[in-house]
Amino acid sequence: MRRPTEIERLYLDFDGFFASVEQQVHPHLRGKPVGVVPFKDAVHTCVIACSREAKLHGVKNVMNIEEARERCPDIILVRQSPDLYRRAHNTLLSEISAVIPIDAVKSIDELTCRVSPAERGDPRALGLRLKKRIADNIGPFIFCSIGYAANRQLAKMACKAGKPNGNMVWHPNDMPGLLLNLTLRDIPGIGERMEQRLLRFGIATMADLLATQPKHMRKLWGNVTGERLWYALHGYDVQAPPSGRGMYGHGRVLPPDHRTPEHAKAASRLLLVKAARRMRRDGWNAGRVWLWLELMGDASVYRDAWLPAVHDDQAVLSALERMWDGVRLALPRRPKIMRIGVTLLDLTRASERQLDILLNDDKQRRRWEDTTAAIDTLNRKHGRTLVSIGPWTPPPGGYAGGKISYTRIPRAEDFW
Ligand SMILES: [Mg+2]
């Protein structure tokens, strides 16, 4: 694998995107602490994005509004405008691509580019040109942070390290020294659970992680992601894996009398089991699962959960339980859930699963996998869901009519 000696990648992330778009469009919000909320006048909801002024008071994204008000009594709560953010996203992309070709759009407010050989000597100047163009042509209240490094992973970390309004260069000559000040949680992809796993194996610091062997990282992650991360952190030009199958997902519009959390949860179980069934048939394991709900009035709730590279019903359904615990906290009182979707992703070949020495779950996992295989055989034989783990309660008339296929990454709006 190639190890670049120059800056080759750029990662750009808008700061407090929704809030800064609101400030750009509505002058009375400029310079004020602003929190964007999914619902108007809701009591039990959270701030989904906040302005830098609100952040200075300790308000964070995805913070309960009561807590946000406690930390910042003057906070102005603004109801989200998904269509405005979508338009801002498109306009910003066209301005950026007038300066540099965009390699990949990662989300509504993140993207990555290749830095051309001519720009590699002075990437900061490139960043200043991008920022000036955005300020001149769109407005001076939209800020972004940009990171530059040998590969995309490091550029993303540099971008985060430079926030807000950053323009951070991590030159290969200065690596991996610059990483040593960071914690494991500063690495995109390492959440609380993964951090706990690593701790159990005596990996507590960035230095510990960097000293780990790539094959061991593969074992720790349960799939090739860990090994790829090792190469990325060590400055190699890690290419995205050949995209075969991306994900397995199902989404449904709920019938009018089935728009409560209870019915939506029952529906999500069915959809997830169906997606897992298709995934197993094709020989994949999932490393992650998404759940999203669209509510009446253009709001959404989104959760995701890490999975230890699995394909059996018990594993995906227990992750779904955990996500629902979180979803309930984010829902307003008496929500009307219009549409629901689940997606299994971060797929790896089922035949390549490593023994999960950390979770020590292999024996139990295999038992659940055998159980699931037996259930599949029975259901296939009868051509319907005869056996399932837990309740199986389709709404009257099934889901016909409201069927929506999600064979693509859901729109960024789906996550709000
Ligand atoms: Mg952002």
Side-chain angles (χ1 to χ4, degrees):
M1 210 180 297
R2 201 171 59 86
R3 196 173 188 174
T5 55
E6 286 184 295
I7 298 290
E8 295 195 1
R9 298 282 182 157
L10 166 166
Y11 201 97
L12 185 152
D13 181 358
F14 287 95
D15 301 336
F17 182 59
F18 302 162
S20 65
V21 171
E22 295 288 351
Q23 288 180 319
Q24 183 61 52
V25 174
H26 304 292
H28 72 277
L29 297 175
R30 294 174 185 173
K32 306 254 170 70
V34 175
V36 177
V37 291
F39 318 102
K40 211 167 30 186
D41 306 326
V43 185
H44 300 287
T45 186
C46 57
V47 170
I48 53 174
C50 55
S51 69
R52 57 161 78 191
E53 295 82 3
K55 279 182 186 149
L56 286 176
H57 283 87
V59 180
K60 293 194 165 78
N61 294 346
V62 201
M63 178 178 271
N64 186 293
I65 54 168
E66 282 161 33
E67 195 180 348
R69 278 214 177 97
E70 241 164 61
R71 293 191 183 202
C72 181
D74 296 334
I75 192 165
I76 305 173
L77 297 178
V78 179
R79 189 176 175 275
Q80 64 172 357
S81 330
D83 194 55
L84 171 65
Y85 312 145
R86 186 186 55 76
R87 283 183 284 131
H89 167 83
N90 290 338
T91 314
L92 286 160
L93 291 193
S94 79
E95 290 299 331
I96 291 166
S97 44
V99 177
I100 181 173
I102 296 170
D103 191 33
V105 174
K106 305 302 286 181
S107 76
I108 191 145
D109 70 338
E110 293 177 37
L111 56 92
T112 158
C113 310
R114 287 168 198 272
V115 180
S116 71
E119 309 263 26
R120 288 177 191 168
D122 191 4
R124 269 196 197 92
L126 167 67
L128 292 176
R129 283 209 321 277
L130 281 168
K131 284 167 186 265
K132 183 170 184 323
R133 188 169 178 112
I134 291 167
D136 289 349
N137 293 359
I138 298 179
F141 293 91
I142 294 183
F143 293 93
C144 63
S145 292
I146 312 178
Y148 316 84
N151 60 43
R152 193 186 278 183
Q153 171 88 25
L154 291 174
K156 181 172 184 168
M157 291 171 67
C159 172
K160 197 174 156 197
K163 273 187 169 289
N165 200 14
N167 202 17
M168 177 71 84
V169 177
W170 279 4
H171 197 277
N173 290 346
D174 302 323
M175 306 304 292
L178 289 171
L179 292 176
L180 296 175
N181 303 322
L182 305 178
T183 67
L184 296 175
R185 290 289 290 278
D186 290 322
I187 301 173
I190 297 193
E192 195 182 336
R193 280 181 60 124
M194 181 53 83
E195 185 187 33
Q196 293 302 321
R197 272 161 79 78
L198 294 173
L199 271 175
R200 262 178 272 154
F201 250 62
I203 298 170
T205 65
M206 188 68 82
D208 296 340
L209 191 71
L210 290 171
T212 306
Q213 291 303 305
K215 290 291 169 214
H216 189 51
M217 294 269 283
R218 183 193 272 251
K219 270 191 188 140
L220 291 168
W221 259 257
N223 59 48
V224 73
T225 311
E227 195 169 346
R228 291 170 50 76
L229 179 62
W230 188 94
Y231 283 101
L233 291 174
H234 285 80
Y236 288 87
D237 176 39
V238 181
Q239 299 295 332
S243 59
R245 191 70 216 193
M247 50 185 68
Y248 287 84
H250 281 301
R252 291 289 186 278
V253 172
L254 297 176
D257 51 347
H258 279 71
R259 291 178 177 163
T260 62
E262 289 64 38
H263 282 117
K265 185 175 173 185
S268 70
R269 289 179 55 92
L270 262 70
L271 297 174
L272 185 58
V273 166
K274 286 183 179 195
R277 206 181 274 168
R278 282 170 52 222
M279 179 180 78
R280 285 195 289 279
R281 207 172 47 209
D282 294 349
W284 296 99
N285 280 343
R288 184 162 290 277
V289 53
W290 287 342
L291 165 69
W292 74 94
L293 289 72
E294 263 183 36
L295 285 81
M296 178 91 99
D298 223 9
S300 315
V301 176
Y302 159 80
R303 281 290 181 280
D304 71 340
W306 173 84
L307 293 169
V310 288
H311 62 246
D312 65 281
D313 286 347
Q314 189 273 342
V316 296
L317 287 173
S318 43
L320 185 69
E321 277 303 320
R322 291 202 305 276
M323 290 191 290
W324 267 101
D325 290 343
V327 162
R328 282 178 188 281
L329 296 175
L331 286 175
R333 237 183 318 205
R334 300 210 202 149
K336 268 206 165 44
I337 301 164
M338 309 299 286
R339 195 170 76 128
I340 186 157
V342 293
T343 305
L344 290 160
L345 67 164
D346 284 4
L347 303 181
T348 46
R349 277 284 165 205
S351 51
E352 287 167 8
R353 187 174 191 266
Q354 307 274 323
L355 288 183
D356 203 327
I357 41 184
L358 282 167
L359 291 180
N360 194 23
D361 73 338
D362 212 62
K363 218 163 153 190
Q364 205 189 5
R365 184 84 290 128
R366 277 189 195 153
R367 211 150 48 207
W368 280 116
E369 286 177 359
D370 291 346
T371 309
T372 302
I375 293 174
D376 281 351
T377 309
L378 258 171
N379 291 337
R380 211 176 302 126
K381 195 169 144 197
H382 292 267
R384 65 191 177 92
T385 303
L386 194 71
V387 189
S388 68
I389 296 181
W392 185 267
T393 44
Y399 289 105
K403 189 173 172 188
I404 294 167
S405 154
Y406 286 98
T407 49
R408 55 180 176 87
I409 296 182
R411 291 165 299 140
E413 293 98 303
D414 291 337
F415 301 124
W416 303 340

